[in-house]
Amino acid sequence: MRNVIFILMVFGAMQVQAQDAVHGKAVYEHWCSPCHAPGGRKHPGTSALEIIYKGEKPAVLEERLDLTPELVAAFVRNGVKIMPPFRKTEISDKDLADLGAYLSPR
Amino acid sequence: MRYPPGVSQPDFDRAVLEFEAAIGSDWVFTDEADVDLYRDAYSPMWGEEEEKIPSIALAPQSAEEVQALMRICNAYRIPVYPVSTGKNLGYGGSAPVLNGSVVLDLKRMNRIIEVSEDNAFALVEPGVSYFDLYNYIQELGLDLWIDCPDPGWGSLIGNALDHGVGYTVNPYRDHFEAHCGMEVVLADGDIVRTGMGALPNAETWQQYRWGYGPWLDGLFAQSNFGVVTKMGFWLYPAPEAFRSGSVQVMGYNDVHELVRVTARLMYSGVLNTNAGVQSPIQFVLGQNPEMAERYDRANAEDIRILDEFARSIDTPFWASQFKFYGPREIVDQSWEYTKRQFAHIDGVRFTDGENLDFPMPYEELMQTQDENHLGVPSMSVFQLGNRSNFNPTGSNGHLGFSPVVPMTGEAVIESNKVLGRVLREMGGSTVFNVPPYSYHQRTFTILVGFTVTRDVDANRKTREIFRELVKVAAEHGWGEYRTHTAFMDDCAQAYSFNNNALLRLQQRLKDAIDPNGIISAGRYGIWPKHLREDDDNA
């Protein structure tokens, strides 16, 4: 019985995580990809990261393997250079947690 | 929690409780970290005492909630500053003109209420962005285009109310001109519908804009007389084709004929979109002190030598880009007709540009020269001031000084010389020829761009130059069409005919419509009675 409960708990946790990542992807596509999609000519976020990292890291956020929810939250709520911060009516705290989950290594 | 000016702390504390009861405590932002998200990210006063910072922010979800909030604000005389999506970056963003105002953030009001394909209109709330409406139309497969400004994340309503513009055809590209019908909540919480919307069960609210009696919509643009909660917009039935082409002329004085013919083509409807005047030789002249001096002086001998210089390096002095939208046959013939109108200019050259047929897949649209000109919203424009190989640190934002000048060759030359001199003398950018562009019908707008930094001294210098440009431009009869909140008083004061009669009339209207002066105090230079200085009526 304990094993069944454990399996259910793990399964439940995976469900929650999967659901969050799906929503996080939707948040990303709505709010982030207009600037951070592949192709720096039309996407200023990608273009800026190409200049910063010079190929040492991927310029496209979705390809990064070193992002954490905390780092994502810091940039979203503080902005950087021409990227303004995002308000809670745009990206809520729940949206932000899901976005962090989506962009963290999967 | 910060407190707004002119309101006692106990009154504001009571008002906050009432705000929470009206819209829910989750949507009343009082924590300073949350409220700081409403600072103007591109403020040219960032970190200085002059920077305007809100006290709290409210985020209603419906017109009824806006009404409830306005009644509370009016009762306690709380200054309130509505923003649609707060993305008007470069023009003040979501920060108020009056420090400590309560921001009314309408982003959650994001319903696309109706889109009619057959009658080509949309009715939307303030939180709807150009991306939202574009995606909605694409998902439904409607045969319609939107007209979008450069950044796609802004509000249709906010952009139109600030006289924002786009790049397709008339009348859609002038976003206020493309609107039809509004819903507005007034300072006392009353709600009004303009045009045919005043007729209960109106069936033509988004099709017949004048309604019955005086047309009042203009009162709610670039002003502070109400909170617009719905607005209709005409949409462009998707055209079959697009093509562009360039006309280049070799001589300094050819600009007069280039612009005269361009204007005639526009006024007759052959050209029904924007065009500008560039100077391909500008960069070369800027590198050559002798030629730059001759360009600035431009007597007969200077012009002869400038023309010889242009021919010697085989570079046109002036060029205009033209665009055509519509049925394939008309687009092709319009370009041929346009070329014939310029053929009499000695040495004129023509270059074909893009030639596209629609519909096109999104991925291909994003590979065109400028997708915004094809009704596709994007963020490409934010390459302006972005990190680049030439400027690896990038900027913290931008501002634009944008006076309106006549569509004449004389104005093209004179405005660039006058503004260029101010920039050079004050140590600003030595931009030689800032390309005039017909953002609005029948005029050119000169757009002088500034970058914003986090360096206080640099920003102060930018403000000093900006204010001098406002003053000098006004002395020549050129006024701004729109400006950053930091310069709204300067620009309003420039429109000073008959002892500022227009501003005085706007103040009288303000006092009548919003007697407690609670909405967006100071926006576009309109201050309520209790905050006006040196006012005999105050």
Side-chain angles (χ1 to χ4, degrees):
Chain A
M1 188 63 185
R2 280 182 63 184
N3 284 348
V4 172
I5 291 170
F6 176 75
I7 289 166
L8 281 174
M9 285 173 67
V10 170
F11 183 72
M14 285 172 64
Q15 283 284 81
V16 168
Q17 198 173 26
Q19 205 169 35
D20 288 349
V22 168
H23 181 234
K25 186 174 193 303
V27 173
Y28 180 86
E29 285 172 353
H30 186 82
W31 286 109
C32 311
S33 69
C35 287
H36 287 283
R41 187 169 77 89
K42 296 291 176 86
H43 300 104
T46 301
S47 166
L49 294 177
E50 282 170 358
I51 298 291
I52 292 174
Y53 294 124
K54 297 180 172 55
E56 290 172 11
K57 291 180 184 180
V60 177
L61 290 183
E62 280 179 301
E63 296 171 8
R64 292 277 291 274
L65 298 174
D66 59 340
L67 296 179
T68 63
E70 293 75 21
L71 190 65
V72 171
F75 279 107
V76 167
R77 291 290 185 237
N78 293 292
V80 56
K81 304 303 283 190
I82 59 169
M83 171 184 154
F86 287 81
R87 295 179 278 274
K88 292 187 173 180
T89 51
E90 298 170 316
I91 299 176
S92 69
D93 287 339
K94 169 74 168 63
D95 291 339
L96 187 53
D98 294 348
L99 178 66
Y102 173 66
L103 287 175
S104 299
R106 296 177 286 281
Chain B
M1 183 171 73
R2 301 188 191 108
Y3 286 80
V7 185
S8 72
Q9 289 199 8
D11 272 2
F12 195 61
D13 290 339
R14 273 193 292 277
V16 168
L17 292 175
E18 292 179 34
F19 292 147
E20 289 175 343
I23 62 172
S25 57
D26 284 352
W27 303 109
V28 177
F29 299 109
T30 56
D31 183 87
E32 288 188 13
D34 292 341
V35 180
D36 281 348
L37 299 172
Y38 291 87
R39 289 171 73 177
D40 175 14
Y42 289 11
S43 174
M45 301 167 308
W46 185 272
E48 296 182 63
E49 207 173 302
E50 292 98 319
E51 188 192 347
K52 312 303 180 195
I53 297 178
S55 49
I56 67 168
L58 309 171
Q61 198 173 22
S62 66
E64 292 74 22
E65 289 190 355
V66 173
Q67 288 183 274
L69 294 174
M70 294 308 291
R71 289 190 191 104
I72 298 165
C73 289
N74 204 37
Y76 290 101
R77 302 190 175 204
I78 295 168
V80 60
Y81 192 80
V83 297
S84 298
T85 56
K87 294 298 189 201
N88 203 16
L89 294 163
Y91 298 100
S94 49
V97 181
L98 176 67
N99 198 38
S101 297
V102 170
V103 169
L104 189 66
D105 175 358
L106 306 177
K107 179 61 196 170
R108 293 176 66 226
M109 294 173 62
N110 57 3
R111 289 184 307 148
I112 297 169
I113 297 161
E114 183 180 3
V115 175
S116 167
E117 186 175 33
D118 290 343
N119 282 302
F121 69 77
L123 177 65
V124 299
E125 291 187 324
V128 175
S129 72
Y130 290 93
F131 282 130
D132 295 334
L133 184 59
Y134 178 81
N135 291 337
Y136 180 90
I137 287 171
Q138 299 309 307
E139 281 162 17
L140 292 182
L142 305 180
D143 197 26
L144 296 169
W145 276 22
I146 65 167
D147 185 285
C148 50
D150 293 297
W153 59 7
S155 157
L156 276 88
I157 290 182
N159 187 270
L161 293 180
D162 210 28
H163 290 175
V165 290
Y167 298 95
T168 67
V169 298
N170 303 329
Y172 313 105
R173 68 189 181 97
D174 181 329
H175 297 157
F176 192 72
E177 191 181 6
H179 100 272
C180 190
M182 288 179 172
E183 179 184 86
V184 188
V185 174
L186 302 178
D188 62 2
D190 200 5
I191 192 163
V192 179
R193 287 185 175 180
T194 67
M196 297 307 280
L199 190 73
N201 304 315
E203 294 193 336
T204 55
W205 189 18
Q206 272 61 64
Q207 291 157 79
Y208 183 66
R209 59 159 59 116
W210 310 124
Y212 187 75
W215 188 71
L216 301 180
D217 292 37
L219 288 178
F220 302 103
Q222 296 199 343
S223 71
N224 48 18
F225 298 154
V227 182
V228 177
T229 49
K230 290 184 186 66
M231 209 159 153
F233 291 94
W234 290 340
L235 302 174
Y236 183 20
E240 275 179 30
F242 166 90
R243 68 181 302 168
S244 62
S246 167
V247 176
Q248 302 129 46
V249 293
M250 299 305 290
Y252 174 94
N253 277 323
D254 289 339
V255 69
H256 304 291
E257 192 62 0
L258 180 69
V259 175
R260 189 191 69 78
V261 176
T262 300
R264 187 173 174 80
L265 288 166
M266 282 187 177
Y267 303 160
S268 60
V270 176
L271 282 173
N272 62 350
T273 182
N274 28 33
V277 180
Q278 297 88 41
S279 179
I281 203 170
Q282 163 190 337
F283 180 75
V284 184
L285 292 184
Q287 304 294 309
N288 184 324
E290 184 207 333
M291 292 300 158
E293 192 182 326
R294 288 187 184 281
Y295 176 85
D296 200 41
R297 191 170 52 227
N299 62 30
E301 177 65 3
D302 292 323
I303 291 171
R304 189 184 65 75
I305 291 173
L306 284 167
D307 285 353
E308 270 179 16
F309 179 69
R311 276 195 297 275
S312 72
I313 59 171
D314 196 30
T315 303
F317 223 105
W318 309 101
S320 288
Q321 291 278 343
F322 297 110
K323 303 180 296 173
F324 305 92
Y325 301 76
R328 167 52 67 190
E329 298 89 333
I330 293 175
V331 160
D332 289 342
Q333 287 303 312
S334 296
W335 176 221
E336 293 306 317
Y337 179 84
T338 296
K339 285 192 276 189
R340 287 202 298 277
Q341 305 315 301
F342 291 103
H344 62 283
I345 301 176
D346 187 35
V348 66
R349 299 172 180 179
F350 304 106
T351 307
D352 288 346
E354 286 184 309
N355 194 354
L356 310 170
D357 291 291
F358 307 113
M360 279 174 75
Y362 176 79
E363 293 70 24
E364 287 181 28
L365 287 163
M366 288 298 287
Q367 294 304 315
T368 59
Q369 197 170 358
D370 193 334
E371 64 282 356
N372 296 157
H373 291 239
L374 306 175
V376 181
S378 73
M379 296 299 293
S380 305
V381 73
F382 274 53
Q383 296 291 18
L384 184 73
N386 196 11
R387 295 176 199 267
S388 68
N389 287 324
F390 302 105
N391 180 17
T393 56
S395 72
N396 292 84
H398 55 257
L399 290 175
F401 170 70
S402 41
V404 178
V405 305
M407 194 177 282
T408 62
E410 289 84 356
V412 168
I413 290 175
E414 181 70 4
S415 59
N416 278 286
K417 284 186 181 172
V418 167
L419 302 178
R421 266 179 221 137
V422 172
L423 289 167
R424 283 197 299 280
E425 284 167 11
M426 296 193 71
S429 162
T430 53
V431 173
F432 208 86
N433 174 269
V434 184
Y437 201 65
S438 60
Y439 286 104
H440 305 89
Q441 291 195 54
R442 292 179 178 256
T443 55
F444 281 139
T445 299
I446 309 288
L447 187 53
V448 182
F450 294 92
T451 53
V452 171
T453 77
R454 291 289 184 258
D455 181 299
V456 168
D457 291 336
N459 285 342
R460 281 184 181 153
K461 184 70 181 171
T462 296
R463 295 188 330 251
E464 187 189 344
I465 296 171
F466 200 110
R467 292 200 161 97
E468 182 66 12
L469 286 171
V470 172
K471 186 167 139 287
V472 171
E475 286 165 4
H476 287 78
W478 312 319
E480 276 215 280
Y481 89 95
R482 175 188 192 185
T483 201
H484 188 281
T485 47
F487 309 106
M488 283 181 172
D489 283 334
D490 302 271
C491 290
Q493 289 297 329
Y495 285 80
S496 60
F497 169 75
N498 187 21
N499 189 26
N500 299 89
L502 181 62
L503 184 58
R504 286 187 285 112
L505 175 59
Q506 289 162 347
Q507 289 167 348
R508 286 162 67 184
L509 289 167
K510 175 71 176 170
D511 296 344
I513 298 170
D514 176 12
N516 290 331
I518 61 167
I519 301 177
S520 299
R523 189 156 177 81
Y524 278 86
I526 306 167
W527 290 93
K529 197 172 183 178
H530 71 280
L531 294 173
R532 289 201 293 268
E533 294 172 2
D534 303 325
D535 187 336
D536 292 340
N537 299 319

